[in-house]
PDB file of all heavy atoms in Angstrom:
ATOM      1  N   LEU A 103     105.151 190.285  -1.346  1.00 96.00           N
ATOM      2  CA  LEU A 103     105.698 188.970  -0.798  1.00 96.00           C
ATOM      3  C   LEU A 103     106.304 189.169   0.508  1.00 96.00           C
ATOM      4  O   LEU A 103     106.089 188.311   1.424  1.00 96.00           O
ATOM      5  CB  LEU A 103     106.642 188.338  -1.758  1.00 96.00           C
ATOM      6  CG  LEU A 103     106.057 187.619  -2.992  1.00 96.00           C
ATOM      7  CD1 LEU A 103     107.189 187.058  -3.896  1.00 96.00           C
ATOM      8  CD2 LEU A 103     105.074 186.497  -2.548  1.00 96.00           C
ATOM      9  N   LEU A 104     107.068 190.191   0.709  1.00 96.00           N
ATOM     10  CA  LEU A 104     107.641 190.419   2.030  1.00 96.00           C
ATOM     11  C   LEU A 104     106.623 190.673   3.072  1.00 96.00           C
ATOM     12  O   LEU A 104     106.733 190.192   4.200  1.00 96.00           O
ATOM     13  CB  LEU A 104     108.649 191.642   1.913  1.00 96.00           C
ATOM     14  CG  LEU A 104     109.985 191.376   1.229  1.00 96.00           C
ATOM     15  CD1 LEU A 104     110.742 192.689   1.083  1.00 96.00           C
ATOM     16  CD2 LEU A 104     110.789 190.332   1.998  1.00 96.00           C
ATOM     17  N   THR A 105     105.597 191.442   2.706  1.00 97.00           N
ATOM     18  CA  THR A 105     104.466 191.698   3.628  1.00 97.00           C
ATOM     19  C   THR A 105     103.788 190.379   4.049  1.00 97.00           C
ATOM     20  O   THR A 105     103.501 190.041   5.134  1.00 97.00           O
ATOM     21  CB  THR A 105     103.518 192.682   3.006  1.00 97.00           C
ATOM     22  OG1 THR A 105     104.101 193.893   2.803  1.00 97.00           O
ATOM     23  CG2 THR A 105     102.342 192.838   3.998  1.00 97.00           C
ATOM     24  N   GLU A 106     103.596 189.489   3.001  1.00 97.00           N
ATOM     25  CA  GLU A 106     102.957 188.223   3.240  1.00 97.00           C
ATOM     26  C   GLU A 106     103.841 187.358   4.090  1.00 97.00           C
ATOM     27  O   GLU A 106     103.328 186.628   4.980  1.00 97.00           O
ATOM     28  CB  GLU A 106     102.591 187.531   1.951  1.00 97.00           C
ATOM     29  CG  GLU A 106     101.818 186.193   2.166  1.00 97.00           C
ATOM     30  CD  GLU A 106     101.526 185.523   0.847  1.00 97.00           C
ATOM     31  OE1 GLU A 106     102.392 185.428  -0.016  1.00 97.00           O
ATOM     32  OE2 GLU A 106     100.377 185.051   0.671  1.00 97.00           O
ATOM     33  N   ARG A 107     105.139 187.372   3.809  1.00 96.00           N
ATOM     34  CA  ARG A 107     105.987 186.529   4.664  1.00 96.00           C
ATOM     35  C   ARG A 107     106.043 186.947   6.117  1.00 96.00           C
ATOM     36  O   ARG A 107     106.124 186.118   6.999  1.00 96.00           O
ATOM     37  CB  ARG A 107     107.464 186.598   4.044  1.00 96.00           C
ATOM     38  CG  ARG A 107     108.464 185.705   4.716  1.00 96.00           C
ATOM     39  CD  ARG A 107     109.758 185.700   3.979  1.00 96.00           C
ATOM     40  NE  ARG A 107     110.495 186.955   4.176  1.00 96.00           N
ATOM     41  CZ  ARG A 107     111.736 187.131   3.812  1.00 96.00           C
ATOM     42  NH1 ARG A 107     112.395 186.179   3.155  1.00 96.00           N
ATOM     43  NH2 ARG A 107     112.353 188.319   3.992  1.00 96.00           N
ATOM     44  N   GLU A 108     106.046 188.285   6.337  1.00 96.00           N
ATOM     45  CA  GLU A 108     106.039 188.776   7.744  1.00 96.00           C
ATOM     46  C   GLU A 108     104.665 188.526   8.405  1.00 96.00           C
ATOM     47  O   GLU A 108     104.655 188.175   9.597  1.00 96.00           O
ATOM     48  CB  GLU A 108     106.330 190.231   7.706  1.00 96.00           C
ATOM     49  CG  GLU A 108     107.703 190.546   7.239  1.00 96.00           C
ATOM     50  CD  GLU A 108     107.943 192.077   7.051  1.00 96.00           C
ATOM     51  OE1 GLU A 108     107.001 192.862   7.303  1.00 96.00           O
ATOM     52  OE2 GLU A 108     109.066 192.444   6.640  1.00 96.00           O
ATOM     53  N   ARG A 109     103.570 188.682   7.678  1.00 96.00           N
ATOM     54  CA  ARG A 109     102.264 188.556   8.246  1.00 96.00           C
ATOM     55  C   ARG A 109     101.862 187.013   8.398  1.00 96.00           C
ATOM     56  O   ARG A 109     101.127 186.655   9.346  1.00 96.00           O
ATOM     57  CB  ARG A 109     101.223 189.228   7.345  1.00 96.00           C
ATOM     58  CG  ARG A 109      99.807 189.127   7.882  1.00 96.00           C
ATOM     59  CD  ARG A 109      98.880 189.805   6.921  1.00 96.00           C
ATOM     60  NE  ARG A 109      98.835 189.126   5.623  1.00 96.00           N
ATOM     61  CZ  ARG A 109      99.043 189.711   4.527  1.00 96.00           C
ATOM     62  NH1 ARG A 109      99.363 190.959   4.399  1.00 96.00           N
ATOM     63  NH2 ARG A 109      99.027 189.040   3.320  1.00 96.00           N
ATOM     64  N   GLY A 110     102.358 186.184   7.479  1.00 96.00           N
ATOM     65  CA  GLY A 110     101.997 184.813   7.481  1.00 96.00           C
ATOM     66  C   GLY A 110     100.934 184.590   6.361  1.00 96.00           C
ATOM     67  O   GLY A 110     100.086 185.438   6.148  1.00 96.00           O
ATOM     68  N   VAL A 111     101.009 183.444   5.677  1.00 97.00           N
ATOM     69  CA  VAL A 111     100.091 183.178   4.588  1.00 97.00           C
ATOM     70  C   VAL A 111      98.719 182.884   5.122  1.00 97.00           C
ATOM     71  O   VAL A 111      98.524 182.304   6.227  1.00 97.00           O
ATOM     72  CB  VAL A 111     100.595 182.047   3.705  1.00 97.00           C
ATOM     73  CG1 VAL A 111     101.928 182.379   3.027  1.00 97.00           C
ATOM     74  CG2 VAL A 111     100.777 180.757   4.500  1.00 97.00           C
ATOM     75  N   ALA A 112      97.706 183.119   4.250  1.00 96.00           N
ATOM     76  CA  ALA A 112      96.308 182.786   4.672  1.00 96.00           C
ATOM     77  C   ALA A 112      95.994 181.398   4.326  1.00 96.00           C
ATOM     78  O   ALA A 112      94.948 180.868   4.817  1.00 96.00           O
ATOM     79  CB  ALA A 112      95.355 183.812   3.981  1.00 96.00           C
ATOM     80  N   ARG A 113      96.699 180.788   3.470  1.00 97.00           N
ATOM     81  CA  ARG A 113      96.519 179.442   3.045  1.00 97.00           C
ATOM     82  C   ARG A 113      97.801 178.799   2.614  1.00 97.00           C
ATOM     83  O   ARG A 113      98.756 179.513   2.243  1.00 97.00           O
ATOM     84  CB  ARG A 113      95.471 179.313   1.917  1.00 97.00           C
ATOM     85  CG  ARG A 113      95.900 180.106   0.635  1.00 97.00           C
ATOM     86  CD  ARG A 113      94.887 179.989  -0.459  1.00 97.00           C
ATOM     87  NE  ARG A 113      95.330 180.644  -1.698  1.00 97.00           N
ATOM     88  CZ  ARG A 113      94.761 180.533  -2.881  1.00 97.00           C
ATOM     89  NH1 ARG A 113      93.670 179.813  -3.026  1.00 97.00           N
ATOM     90  NH2 ARG A 113      95.276 181.144  -3.904  1.00 97.00           N
ATOM     91  N   ARG A 114      97.820 177.454   2.617  1.00 97.00           N
ATOM     92  CA  ARG A 114      99.069 176.768   2.297  1.00 97.00           C
ATOM     93  C   ARG A 114      98.801 175.521   1.527  1.00 97.00           C
ATOM     94  O   ARG A 114      97.781 174.831   1.799  1.00 97.00           O
ATOM     95  CB  ARG A 114      99.897 176.435   3.497  1.00 97.00           C
ATOM     96  CG  ARG A 114     101.326 175.978   3.244  1.00 97.00           C
ATOM     97  CD  ARG A 114     101.971 175.595   4.568  1.00 97.00           C
ATOM     98  NE  ARG A 114     102.010 176.713   5.538  1.00 97.00           N
ATOM     99  CZ  ARG A 114     102.950 177.694   5.511  1.00 97.00           C
ATOM    100  NH1 ARG A 114     103.903 177.646   4.547  1.00 97.00           N
ATOM    101  NH2 ARG A 114     102.913 178.691   6.310  1.00 97.00           N
ATOM    102  N   LEU A 115      99.558 175.174   0.493  1.00 98.00           N
ATOM    103  CA  LEU A 115      99.378 174.022  -0.302  1.00 98.00           C
ATOM    104  C   LEU A 115      99.785 172.722   0.511  1.00 98.00           C
ATOM    105  O   LEU A 115     100.877 172.702   1.056  1.00 98.00           O
ATOM    106  CB  LEU A 115     100.223 174.053  -1.569  1.00 98.00           C
ATOM    107  CG  LEU A 115      99.894 173.004  -2.599  1.00 98.00           C
ATOM    108  CD1 LEU A 115      98.469 173.130  -3.124  1.00 98.00           C
ATOM    109  CD2 LEU A 115     100.871 173.065  -3.743  1.00 98.00           C
ATOM    110  N   ARG A 116      98.858 171.798   0.591  1.00 98.00           N
ATOM    111  CA  ARG A 116      99.071 170.600   1.353  1.00 98.00           C
ATOM    112  C   ARG A 116      98.733 169.317   0.477  1.00 98.00           C
ATOM    113  O   ARG A 116      98.049 169.484  -0.583  1.00 98.00           O
ATOM    114  CB  ARG A 116      98.168 170.501   2.581  1.00 98.00           C
ATOM    115  CG  ARG A 116      98.410 171.692   3.560  1.00 98.00           C
ATOM    116  CD  ARG A 116      99.659 171.509   4.294  1.00 98.00           C
ATOM    117  NE  ARG A 116      99.694 172.423   5.470  1.00 98.00           N
ATOM    118  CZ  ARG A 116     100.782 172.651   6.137  1.00 98.00           C
ATOM    119  NH1 ARG A 116     101.927 171.995   5.894  1.00 98.00           N
ATOM    120  NH2 ARG A 116     100.734 173.457   7.243  1.00 98.00           N
ATOM    121  N   GLY A 117      99.254 168.209   0.823  1.00 98.00           N
ATOM    122  CA  GLY A 117      98.826 167.003   0.225  1.00 98.00           C
ATOM    123  C   GLY A 117      97.791 166.294   0.947  1.00 98.00           C
ATOM    124  O   GLY A 117      97.675 166.464   2.217  1.00 98.00           O
ATOM    125  N   LEU A 118      96.939 165.479   0.242  1.00 98.00           N
ATOM    126  CA  LEU A 118      95.843 164.723   0.870  1.00 98.00           C
ATOM    127  C   LEU A 118      95.951 163.292   0.348  1.00 98.00           C
ATOM    128  O   LEU A 118      96.127 163.074  -0.821  1.00 98.00           O
ATOM    129  CB  LEU A 118      94.495 165.343   0.601  1.00 98.00           C
ATOM    130  CG  LEU A 118      94.220 166.760   1.075  1.00 98.00           C
ATOM    131  CD1 LEU A 118      92.895 167.244   0.518  1.00 98.00           C
ATOM    132  CD2 LEU A 118      94.227 166.845   2.576  1.00 98.00           C
ATOM    133  N   THR A 119      95.674 162.345   1.156  1.00 98.00           N
ATOM    134  CA  THR A 119      95.490 160.964   0.750  1.00 98.00           C
ATOM    135  C   THR A 119      94.139 160.429   1.273  1.00 98.00           C
ATOM    136  O   THR A 119      93.674 160.817   2.307  1.00 98.00           O
ATOM    137  CB  THR A 119      96.613 160.065   1.334  1.00 98.00           C
ATOM    138  OG1 THR A 119      96.552 160.055   2.770  1.00 98.00           O
ATOM    139  CG2 THR A 119      97.941 160.542   0.830  1.00 98.00           C
ATOM    140  N   THR A 120      93.511 159.619   0.379  1.00 97.00           N
ATOM    141  CA  THR A 120      92.284 158.994   0.692  1.00 97.00           C
ATOM    142  C   THR A 120      92.363 157.514   0.626  1.00 97.00           C
ATOM    143  O   THR A 120      93.316 156.949  -0.009  1.00 97.00           O
ATOM    144  CB  THR A 120      91.099 159.496  -0.188  1.00 97.00           C
ATOM    145  OG1 THR A 120      91.455 159.140  -1.549  1.00 97.00           O
ATOM    146  CG2 THR A 120      90.967 160.994  -0.105  1.00 97.00           C
ATOM    147  N   GLU A 121      91.463 156.833   1.180  1.00 95.00           N
ATOM    148  CA  GLU A 121      91.447 155.344   1.030  1.00 95.00           C
ATOM    149  C   GLU A 121      90.593 154.960  -0.164  1.00 95.00           C
ATOM    150  O   GLU A 121      89.590 155.616  -0.457  1.00 95.00           O
ATOM    151  CB  GLU A 121      90.938 154.699   2.312  1.00 95.00           C
ATOM    152  CG  GLU A 121      91.814 154.939   3.516  1.00 95.00           C
ATOM    153  CD  GLU A 121      91.297 154.222   4.745  1.00 95.00           C
ATOM    154  OE1 GLU A 121      90.264 153.505   4.686  1.00 95.00           O
ATOM    155  OE2 GLU A 121      91.951 154.325   5.811  1.00 95.00           O
ATOM    156  N   GLY A 122      90.932 153.798  -0.727  1.00 91.00           N
ATOM    157  CA  GLY A 122      90.092 153.277  -1.896  1.00 91.00           C
ATOM    158  C   GLY A 122      90.418 153.950  -3.157  1.00 91.00           C
ATOM    159  O   GLY A 122      91.263 154.807  -3.324  1.00 91.00           O
ATOM    160  N   ARG A 123      89.702 153.508  -4.193  1.00 91.00           N
ATOM    161  CA  ARG A 123      89.980 153.919  -5.593  1.00 91.00           C
ATOM    162  C   ARG A 123      89.224 155.166  -6.018  1.00 91.00           C
ATOM    163  O   ARG A 123      89.477 155.708  -7.148  1.00 91.00           O
ATOM    164  CB  ARG A 123      89.663 152.738  -6.478  1.00 91.00           C
ATOM    165  CG  ARG A 123      90.437 151.497  -6.234  1.00 91.00           C
ATOM    166  CD  ARG A 123      90.035 150.378  -7.231  1.00 91.00           C
ATOM    167  NE  ARG A 123      90.353 150.729  -8.591  1.00 91.00           N
ATOM    168  CZ  ARG A 123      91.532 150.589  -9.194  1.00 91.00           C
ATOM    169  NH1 ARG A 123      92.524 150.004  -8.547  1.00 91.00           N
ATOM    170  NH2 ARG A 123      91.696 150.932 -10.408  1.00 91.00           N
ATOM    171  N   ARG A 124      88.349 155.680  -5.214  1.00 91.00           N
ATOM    172  CA  ARG A 124      87.558 156.868  -5.587  1.00 91.00           C
ATOM    173  C   ARG A 124      88.447 158.047  -5.606  1.00 91.00           C
ATOM    174  O   ARG A 124      88.986 158.497  -4.560  1.00 91.00           O
ATOM    175  CB  ARG A 124      86.402 157.046  -4.651  1.00 91.00           C
ATOM    176  CG  ARG A 124      85.361 158.025  -5.114  1.00 91.00           C
ATOM    177  CD  ARG A 124      84.187 157.950  -4.097  1.00 91.00           C
ATOM    178  NE  ARG A 124      83.102 158.883  -4.622  1.00 91.00           N
ATOM    179  CZ  ARG A 124      81.936 159.045  -3.970  1.00 91.00           C
ATOM    180  NH1 ARG A 124      81.751 158.381  -2.809  1.00 91.00           N
ATOM    181  NH2 ARG A 124      81.026 159.794  -4.478  1.00 91.00           N
ATOM    182  N   PRO A 125      88.697 158.699  -6.744  1.00 94.00           N
ATOM    183  CA  PRO A 125      89.717 159.763  -6.781  1.00 94.00           C
ATOM    184  C   PRO A 125      89.136 161.127  -6.439  1.00 94.00           C
ATOM    185  O   PRO A 125      88.004 161.512  -6.789  1.00 94.00           O
ATOM    186  CB  PRO A 125      90.113 159.761  -8.269  1.00 94.00           C
ATOM    187  CG  PRO A 125      88.872 159.326  -9.004  1.00 94.00           C
ATOM    188  CD  PRO A 125      88.179 158.334  -8.068  1.00 94.00           C
ATOM    189  N   PRO A 126      89.836 161.925  -5.700  1.00 97.00           N
ATOM    190  CA  PRO A 126      89.512 163.311  -5.484  1.00 97.00           C
ATOM    191  C   PRO A 126      89.646 164.060  -6.789  1.00 97.00           C
ATOM    192  O   PRO A 126      90.470 163.639  -7.692  1.00 97.00           O
ATOM    193  CB  PRO A 126      90.506 163.845  -4.439  1.00 97.00           C
ATOM    194  CG  PRO A 126      91.161 162.638  -3.882  1.00 97.00           C
ATOM    195  CD  PRO A 126      91.099 161.592  -4.953  1.00 97.00           C
ATOM    196  N   ARG A 127      88.976 165.175  -7.011  1.00 97.00           N
ATOM    197  CA  ARG A 127      89.034 165.929  -8.192  1.00 97.00           C
ATOM    198  C   ARG A 127      89.163 167.417  -7.858  1.00 97.00           C
ATOM    199  O   ARG A 127      88.719 167.915  -6.821  1.00 97.00           O
ATOM    200  CB  ARG A 127      87.785 165.713  -9.061  1.00 97.00           C
ATOM    201  CG  ARG A 127      87.645 164.308  -9.596  1.00 97.00           C
ATOM    202  CD  ARG A 127      88.769 163.891 -10.507  1.00 97.00           C
ATOM    203  NE  ARG A 127      88.590 162.623 -11.143  1.00 97.00           N
ATOM    204  CZ  ARG A 127      89.537 161.918 -11.756  1.00 97.00           C
ATOM    205  NH1 ARG A 127      90.782 162.456 -11.915  1.00 97.00           N
ATOM    206  NH2 ARG A 127      89.250 160.773 -12.349  1.00 97.00           N
ATOM    207  N   ALA A 128      89.826 168.161  -8.828  1.00 97.00           N
ATOM    208  CA  ALA A 128      90.040 169.561  -8.647  1.00 97.00           C
ATOM    209  C   ALA A 128      88.704 170.319  -8.513  1.00 97.00           C
ATOM    210  O   ALA A 128      87.716 169.942  -9.195  1.00 97.00           O
ATOM    211  CB  ALA A 128      90.781 170.164  -9.822  1.00 97.00           C
ATOM    212  N   GLY A 129      88.623 171.246  -7.583  1.00 97.00           N
ATOM    213  CA  GLY A 129      87.415 172.035  -7.371  1.00 97.00           C
ATOM    214  C   GLY A 129      86.574 171.517  -6.224  1.00 97.00           C
ATOM    215  O   GLY A 129      85.674 172.244  -5.753  1.00 97.00           O
ATOM    216  N   GLN A 130      86.854 170.335  -5.752  1.00 98.00           N
ATOM    217  CA  GLN A 130      86.029 169.787  -4.617  1.00 98.00           C
ATOM    218  C   GLN A 130      86.445 170.445  -3.257  1.00 98.00           C
ATOM    219  O   GLN A 130      87.651 170.735  -3.077  1.00 98.00           O
ATOM    220  CB  GLN A 130      86.215 168.319  -4.508  1.00 98.00           C
ATOM    221  CG  GLN A 130      85.633 167.573  -5.765  1.00 98.00           C
ATOM    222  CD  GLN A 130      85.900 166.066  -5.707  1.00 98.00           C
ATOM    223  OE1 GLN A 130      86.812 165.575  -5.063  1.00 98.00           O
ATOM    224  NE2 GLN A 130      85.069 165.327  -6.481  1.00 98.00           N
ATOM    225  N   ALA A 131      85.516 170.717  -2.453  1.00 98.00           N
ATOM    226  CA  ALA A 131      85.782 171.391  -1.146  1.00 98.00           C
ATOM    227  C   ALA A 131      86.450 170.422  -0.195  1.00 98.00           C
ATOM    228  O   ALA A 131      86.135 169.229  -0.141  1.00 98.00           O
ATOM    229  CB  ALA A 131      84.498 171.942  -0.561  1.00 98.00           C
ATOM    230  N   VAL A 132      87.306 170.979   0.649  1.00 98.00           N
ATOM    231  CA  VAL A 132      87.945 170.202   1.699  1.00 98.00           C
ATOM    232  C   VAL A 132      87.281 170.735   3.003  1.00 98.00           C
ATOM    233  O   VAL A 132      87.237 171.897   3.284  1.00 98.00           O
ATOM    234  CB  VAL A 132      89.454 170.397   1.770  1.00 98.00           C
ATOM    235  CG1 VAL A 132      90.064 169.677   2.889  1.00 98.00           C
ATOM    236  CG2 VAL A 132      90.102 170.043   0.436  1.00 98.00           C
ATOM    237  N   LEU A 133      86.803 169.723   3.775  1.00 98.00           N
ATOM    238  CA  LEU A 133      86.079 170.027   5.042  1.00 98.00           C
ATOM    239  C   LEU A 133      87.003 169.788   6.227  1.00 98.00           C
ATOM    240  O   LEU A 133      87.642 168.748   6.335  1.00 98.00           O
ATOM    241  CB  LEU A 133      84.881 169.114   5.132  1.00 98.00           C
ATOM    242  CG  LEU A 133      83.909 169.079   3.904  1.00 98.00           C
ATOM    243  CD1 LEU A 133      82.810 168.098   4.203  1.00 98.00           C
ATOM    244  CD2 LEU A 133      83.408 170.435   3.527  1.00 98.00           C
ATOM    245  N   VAL A 134      87.045 170.819   7.089  1.00 97.00           N
ATOM    246  CA  VAL A 134      87.766 170.728   8.343  1.00 97.00           C
ATOM    247  C   VAL A 134      86.726 170.851   9.463  1.00 97.00           C
ATOM    248  O   VAL A 134      85.998 171.844   9.487  1.00 97.00           O
ATOM    249  CB  VAL A 134      88.850 171.809   8.502  1.00 97.00           C
ATOM    250  CG1 VAL A 134      89.505 171.747   9.877  1.00 97.00           C
ATOM    251  CG2 VAL A 134      89.858 171.669   7.389  1.00 97.00           C
ATOM    252  N   ASP A 135      86.591 169.808  10.266  1.00 96.00           N
ATOM    253  CA  ASP A 135      85.548 169.801  11.327  1.00 96.00           C
ATOM    254  C   ASP A 135      84.162 170.018  10.670  1.00 96.00           C
ATOM    255  O   ASP A 135      83.323 170.642  11.302  1.00 96.00           O
ATOM    256  CB  ASP A 135      85.821 170.876  12.383  1.00 96.00           C
ATOM    257  CG  ASP A 135      87.063 170.591  13.188  1.00 96.00           C
ATOM    258  OD1 ASP A 135      87.468 169.456  13.363  1.00 96.00           O
ATOM    259  OD2 ASP A 135      87.719 171.644  13.590  1.00 96.00           O
ATOM    260  N   GLY A 136      84.019 169.419   9.529  1.00 95.00           N
ATOM    261  CA  GLY A 136      82.732 169.410   8.888  1.00 95.00           C
ATOM    262  C   GLY A 136      82.395 170.643   8.059  1.00 95.00           C
ATOM    263  O   GLY A 136      81.265 170.718   7.468  1.00 95.00           O
ATOM    264  N   GLN A 137      83.281 171.653   8.122  1.00 97.00           N
ATOM    265  CA  GLN A 137      82.997 172.910   7.428  1.00 97.00           C
ATOM    266  C   GLN A 137      83.989 173.146   6.271  1.00 97.00           C
ATOM    267  O   GLN A 137      85.179 172.807   6.403  1.00 97.00           O
ATOM    268  CB  GLN A 137      83.099 174.084   8.413  1.00 97.00           C
ATOM    269  CG  GLN A 137      82.163 174.032   9.578  1.00 97.00           C
ATOM    270  CD  GLN A 137      80.649 174.038   9.082  1.00 97.00           C
ATOM    271  OE1 GLN A 137      80.318 174.845   8.194  1.00 97.00           O
ATOM    272  NE2 GLN A 137      79.893 173.206   9.646  1.00 97.00           N
ATOM    273  N   PRO A 138      83.510 173.690   5.152  1.00 97.00           N
ATOM    274  CA  PRO A 138      84.427 173.973   4.054  1.00 97.00           C
ATOM    275  C   PRO A 138      85.588 174.925   4.501  1.00 97.00           C
ATOM    276  O   PRO A 138      85.315 176.013   5.045  1.00 97.00           O
ATOM    277  CB  PRO A 138      83.531 174.691   3.000  1.00 97.00           C
ATOM    278  CG  PRO A 138      82.090 174.229   3.344  1.00 97.00           C
ATOM    279  CD  PRO A 138      82.142 174.053   4.828  1.00 97.00           C
ATOM    280  N   ALA A 139      86.790 174.507   4.252  1.00 98.00           N
ATOM    281  CA  ALA A 139      87.959 175.314   4.638  1.00 98.00           C
ATOM    282  C   ALA A 139      89.001 175.411   3.580  1.00 98.00           C
ATOM    283  O   ALA A 139      90.010 176.135   3.727  1.00 98.00           O
ATOM    284  CB  ALA A 139      88.548 174.638   5.924  1.00 98.00           C
ATOM    285  N   GLY A 140      88.879 174.717   2.467  1.00 97.00           N
ATOM    286  CA  GLY A 140      89.826 174.716   1.439  1.00 97.00           C
ATOM    287  C   GLY A 140      89.283 174.089   0.177  1.00 97.00           C
ATOM    288  O   GLY A 140      88.103 173.734   0.082  1.00 97.00           O
ATOM    289  N   VAL A 141      90.119 174.001  -0.834  1.00 97.00           N
ATOM    290  CA  VAL A 141      89.637 173.368  -2.092  1.00 97.00           C
ATOM    291  C   VAL A 141      90.750 172.540  -2.725  1.00 97.00           C
ATOM    292  O   VAL A 141      91.952 172.850  -2.634  1.00 97.00           O
ATOM    293  CB  VAL A 141      89.225 174.514  -3.078  1.00 97.00           C
ATOM    294  CG1 VAL A 141      90.394 175.423  -3.432  1.00 97.00           C
ATOM    295  CG2 VAL A 141      88.550 173.971  -4.326  1.00 97.00           C
ATOM    296  N   VAL A 142      90.404 171.406  -3.291  1.00 98.00           N
ATOM    297  CA  VAL A 142      91.314 170.573  -4.042  1.00 98.00           C
ATOM    298  C   VAL A 142      91.733 171.274  -5.330  1.00 98.00           C
ATOM    299  O   VAL A 142      90.863 171.766  -6.079  1.00 98.00           O
ATOM    300  CB  VAL A 142      90.689 169.238  -4.351  1.00 98.00           C
ATOM    301  CG1 VAL A 142      91.592 168.376  -5.306  1.00 98.00           C
ATOM    302  CG2 VAL A 142      90.394 168.486  -3.063  1.00 98.00           C
ATOM    303  N   THR A 143      93.020 171.349  -5.565  1.00 98.00           N
ATOM    304  CA  THR A 143      93.544 171.956  -6.858  1.00 98.00           C
ATOM    305  C   THR A 143      93.888 170.856  -7.839  1.00 98.00           C
ATOM    306  O   THR A 143      93.783 171.114  -9.081  1.00 98.00           O
ATOM    307  CB  THR A 143      94.723 172.769  -6.580  1.00 98.00           C
ATOM    308  OG1 THR A 143      95.730 171.994  -5.831  1.00 98.00           O
ATOM    309  CG2 THR A 143      94.411 173.993  -5.702  1.00 98.00           C
ATOM    310  N   SER A 144      94.267 169.708  -7.471  1.00 98.00           N
ATOM    311  CA  SER A 144      94.534 168.563  -8.326  1.00 98.00           C
ATOM    312  C   SER A 144      94.265 167.262  -7.546  1.00 98.00           C
ATOM    313  O   SER A 144      94.579 167.215  -6.354  1.00 98.00           O
ATOM    314  CB  SER A 144      96.025 168.517  -8.780  1.00 98.00           C
ATOM    315  OG  SER A 144      96.366 169.639  -9.601  1.00 98.00           O
ATOM    316  N   GLY A 145      93.672 166.341  -8.216  1.00 98.00           N
ATOM    317  CA  GLY A 145      93.372 165.063  -7.571  1.00 98.00           C
ATOM    318  C   GLY A 145      93.206 163.970  -8.557  1.00 98.00           C
ATOM    319  O   GLY A 145      92.837 164.155  -9.732  1.00 98.00           O
ATOM    320  N   ASN A 146      93.608 162.744  -8.159  1.00 97.00           N
ATOM    321  CA  ASN A 146      93.533 161.610  -9.003  1.00 97.00           C
ATOM    322  C   ASN A 146      93.720 160.333  -8.187  1.00 97.00           C
ATOM    323  O   ASN A 146      94.033 160.350  -7.025  1.00 97.00           O
ATOM    324  CB  ASN A 146      94.564 161.665 -10.112  1.00 97.00           C
ATOM    325  CG  ASN A 146      94.132 161.050 -11.428  1.00 97.00           C
ATOM    326  OD1 ASN A 146      93.368 160.068 -11.431  1.00 97.00           O
ATOM    327  ND2 ASN A 146      94.574 161.654 -12.543  1.00 97.00           N
ATOM    328  N   PHE A 147      93.496 159.174  -8.907  1.00 96.00           N
ATOM    329  CA  PHE A 147      93.854 157.950  -8.308  1.00 96.00           C
ATOM    330  C   PHE A 147      95.354 157.647  -8.635  1.00 96.00           C
ATOM    331  O   PHE A 147      95.832 157.848  -9.748  1.00 96.00           O
ATOM    332  CB  PHE A 147      93.008 156.807  -8.991  1.00 96.00           C
ATOM    333  CG  PHE A 147      93.454 155.421  -8.582  1.00 96.00           C
ATOM    334  CD1 PHE A 147      93.077 154.896  -7.344  1.00 96.00           C
ATOM    335  CD2 PHE A 147      94.123 154.648  -9.461  1.00 96.00           C
ATOM    336  CE1 PHE A 147      93.496 153.627  -7.010  1.00 96.00           C
ATOM    337  CE2 PHE A 147      94.509 153.305  -9.148  1.00 96.00           C
ATOM    338  CZ  PHE A 147      94.197 152.822  -7.853  1.00 96.00           C
TER     339      PHE A 147
END
């Protein structure tokens, strides 16, 4: 953990909001500039 803290994390947990009632779901890819860059861990309406 100390090594990771000094080096910096490779990923970080963030929140996402979407418009409308269509819920995100765990396992769906998150696209940054059109390219897969992360994954949803929990999602719902």
Side-chain angles (χ1 to χ4, degrees):
L103 280 178
L104 285 173
T105 298
E106 184 181 44
R107 186 174 69 172
E108 295 172 0
R109 182 183 63 235
V111 296
R113 59 179 184 169
R114 190 182 302 276
L115 190 65
R116 300 289 194 187
L118 298 173
T119 62
T120 61
E121 295 183 1
R123 300 180 61 87
R124 192 174 186 181
R127 294 299 187 191
Q130 293 174 340
V132 181
L133 311 177
V134 177
D135 296 329
Q137 299 299 315
V141 63
V142 172
T143 54
S144 295
N146 213 327
F147 172 78

